[in-house]
Amino acid sequence: MPCHVQAIQVVDQSKADKVPNISTGIGFLDHMIDQWNSHAQVGVGIHVIEADEDDSKDNSNDSVQNRFAGKNQVELLTIVGNALGSELKKVLQSNHHSNQESKFSCPLDEALVTCVLSSSNTKSDKGSLVFYNLAPYGIYPSATGRTKIGKLETFAIESFWKALAESSTLCISLTKLRGDNAHHIVESSFKAFSRALRNYLDPPDLWEPQSANDEASIRQQREGKVERKTKETSISVNLLLNGCSKSTHVETGIPLLNAFYTTLAQEAHMTLQIDCQGDLWVDDHHTAEDVSIAIGQCLTQALGSKAGLNRMWVGRALLEDGTTVEVTMDLSNRPCFVHNLHETLGRQEYVEETADDDEFANKSLLSCEMLEHCLDSLVMNGRMTVHVVVVKSSTANESSVADVVLGTAQAFGRALRVCAMVDQRRAGTTASSKGTLSV
């Protein structure tokens, strides 16, 4: 293929002077690489030209942006991957915080891709694409998935990651956990890599309590208040992102729901005060739903435009039997809730076991179907994307439904704490390649 990289730069954004535009000759690939700028906070630019191409021509029209669509795309993406990897290697070599391994899962609506980065331990210091399973790219056509996204041929994407890994000295794994839409799957993979790379480069205590980012977040004293009264419920909710949960008080009339939101607030390091009087003589539905709606609305108030926030994080909870609950969250303004809690919740009617009828006779119970609906209501009104992944242990003792539910609250709160934290490096800008979040 008679083309070469005419200009390239990959630097930490804080050291970037003027980064060249991204122009690979495939418009969709340009958009994907731009995720590095927004989510890895690495200034990246690359311009690929043919040997006889006039570099002064206008690159704004479709024919120029997709000028290499008819070329050998495996070769093109290999060239681009090698060039970016070689420049990224310089960034890695100059960074003194690099961690041994970094893992990040990134959601985009229904899609969820996990990226794992680690240092090469070979003598040649050559990286490798350890695992890659993004295909099929989408569910339509059902037999094959998409063969093209825009002008990018999907079969060529793997060659980009292989070349990037080998030339950067990184070992890269990309695992598709979920995904129906081809664009979402691929963009999720680039975002997951970008976030994993940023964490790989960052000092390990960047998002810890009492860190500089944490203190900057607490100083903002972000708050949300909702009061609502209907024939079914009377609710008052006050939420304060103040780095402390000591004053949290949750009273809904449903003990398990109280425990769920108290646990979530503790792990999110926020104050949550809830008083609800609901028609529990009917059932748990109106109370559980309305409380969750109100909490989500309070979060939306408190987070405001979400500019300058970290936006994405993964929270994990390890249960006693080794089961892991992982909550991946994106304060995206694109509400979407996806989970694999069905198998756990499907084991019984209520979250708490009700073998002893006398014990539960005067107790308002939270049904399993309402726990799912609570999470959905919270996510929709909090305008966030949330994926819950429960990974069972191989031990004989299975966690109770209540343990998994409270583990979900723990992981949710841990993800929310860091998502809502201010990233001072962003200086109030939005973590998005389009400059704003969906509205």
Side-chain angles (χ1 to χ4, degrees):
M1 181 177 182
C3 71
H4 64 277
V5 176
Q6 190 266 347
I8 185 167
Q9 185 175 353
V10 179
V11 295
D12 189 294
Q13 278 188 344
S14 63
K15 301 174 183 177
D17 181 16
K18 184 178 180 181
V19 178
N21 293 329
I22 299 172
S23 180
T24 64
I26 303 290
F28 184 79
L29 181 60
D30 295 350
H31 178 50
M32 294 300 100
I33 295 172
D34 192 34
Q35 303 307 317
W36 289 25
N37 289 317
S38 301
H39 295 283
Q41 298 186 69
V42 170
V44 57
I46 183 169
H47 191 181
V48 181
I49 62 171
E50 289 189 288
D52 57 352
E53 182 178 333
D54 180 5
D55 189 42
S56 65
K57 68 171 64 175
D58 179 16
N59 285 339
S60 62
N61 62 72
D62 178 75
S63 62
V64 173
Q65 290 175 338
N66 288 295
R67 60 193 178 278
F68 294 146
K71 302 291 185 179
N72 182 328
Q73 291 197 16
V74 169
E75 186 175 344
L76 172 65
L77 268 67
T78 299
I79 290 171
V80 172
N82 276 327
L84 290 174
S86 297
E87 290 297 307
L88 179 57
K89 181 179 179 179
K90 300 174 185 177
V91 175
L92 297 172
Q93 290 174 337
S94 65
N95 186 279
H96 303 295
H97 298 300
S98 294
N99 299 290
Q100 290 299 309
E101 183 176 288
S102 176
K103 177 181 178 181
F104 203 92
S105 298
C106 179
L108 181 55
D109 293 351
E110 89 300 336
L112 182 66
V113 174
T114 295
C115 177
V116 179
L117 302 181
S118 60
S119 303
S120 172
N121 55 10
T122 63
K123 290 183 179 180
S124 64
D125 209 26
K126 185 177 181 181
S128 64
L129 185 60
V130 178
F131 186 78
Y132 182 90
N133 80 331
L134 300 190
Y137 297 91
I139 60 174
Y140 304 115
S142 57
T144 60
R146 296 279 296 274
T147 59
K148 284 186 177 181
I149 310 174
K151 301 297 184 182
L152 177 63
E153 296 171 346
T154 54
F155 76 89
I157 298 173
E158 185 174 356
S159 60
F160 168 84
W161 290 111
K162 185 174 185 293
L164 177 72
E166 291 179 352
S167 57
S168 67
T169 74
L170 286 172
C171 294
I172 302 175
S173 294
L174 288 166
T175 305
K176 178 179 68 176
L177 302 179
R178 299 172 178 141
D180 298 337
N181 181 287
H183 185 123
H184 291 171
I185 293 166
V186 177
E187 185 169 337
S188 180
S189 71
F190 274 82
K191 286 181 175 178
F193 170 81
S194 299
R195 290 282 176 160
L197 176 61
R198 187 66 262 170
N199 289 348
Y200 186 85
L201 296 171
D202 281 341
D205 60 349
L206 187 68
W207 305 108
E208 292 299 312
Q210 300 181 342
S211 64
N213 283 336
D214 186 44
E215 291 176 354
S217 305
I218 293 170
R219 285 195 296 270
Q220 293 191 4
Q221 291 290 299
R222 295 163 291 175
E223 187 174 15
K225 293 182 179 180
V226 168
E227 291 189 4
R228 53 181 290 166
K229 189 171 185 178
T230 69
K231 291 181 179 181
E232 299 166 345
T233 58
S234 177
I235 299 174
S236 173
V237 177
N238 188 356
L239 182 152
L240 183 61
L241 298 173
N242 61 348
C244 178
S245 63
K246 290 182 180 179
S247 299
T248 289
H249 168 79
V250 179
E251 182 51 64
T252 67
I254 305 174
L256 198 287
L257 190 63
N258 296 346
F260 183 88
Y261 281 123
T262 298
T263 300
L264 193 158
Q266 289 171 342
E267 298 298 335
H269 293 195
M270 68 182 184
T271 296
L272 186 59
Q273 295 178 330
I274 303 173
D275 286 299
C276 174
Q277 294 181 342
D279 57 359
L280 294 174
W281 59 88
V282 175
D283 68 355
D284 59 335
H285 189 107
H286 300 141
T287 296
E289 177 184 51
D290 289 2
V291 165
S292 301
I293 289 172
I295 296 172
Q297 291 172 340
C298 283
L299 272 173
T300 296
Q301 287 181 26
L303 295 172
S305 69
K306 301 172 183 173
L309 303 188
N310 182 46
R311 180 181 159 180
M312 296 182 189
W313 200 252
V314 183
R316 297 180 179 89
L318 179 63
L319 307 187
E320 287 187 3
D321 73 335
T323 294
T324 301
V325 183
E326 186 173 278
V327 172
T328 303
M329 181 180 295
D330 179 4
L331 302 180
S332 60
N333 280 358
R334 296 164 62 117
C336 183
F337 177 50
V338 189
H339 65 89
N340 69 340
L341 289 165
H342 301 99
E343 185 175 346
T344 298
L345 297 178
R347 283 164 26 199
Q348 56 200 47
E349 187 171 353
Y350 296 97
V351 174
E352 296 171 283
E353 296 182 17
T354 58
D356 186 346
D357 291 340
D358 291 336
E359 179 185 351
F360 290 91
N362 298 314
K363 190 175 182 180
S364 295
L365 301 177
L366 182 66
S367 60
C368 288
E369 68 177 12
M370 279 312 299
L371 185 279
E372 179 184 27
H373 189 54
C374 284
L375 284 166
D376 187 66
S377 299
L378 174 62
V379 167
M380 294 300 143
N381 287 274
R383 299 190 59 76
M384 58 182 71
T385 303
V386 170
H387 283 247
V388 179
V389 177
V390 179
V391 181
K392 290 185 177 181
S393 71
S394 57
T395 62
N397 297 322
E398 190 172 40
S399 292
S400 69
V401 174
D403 285 342
V404 174
V405 166
L406 293 178
T408 302
Q410 286 182 320
F412 195 108
R414 290 167 184 171
L416 177 60
R417 182 185 72 82
V418 184
C419 283
M421 199 177 290
V422 171
D423 185 346
Q424 295 183 95
R425 294 170 300 193
R426 294 193 180 277
T429 61
T430 301
S432 171
S433 59
K434 57 188 173 186
T436 186
L437 297 177
S438 300
V439 293

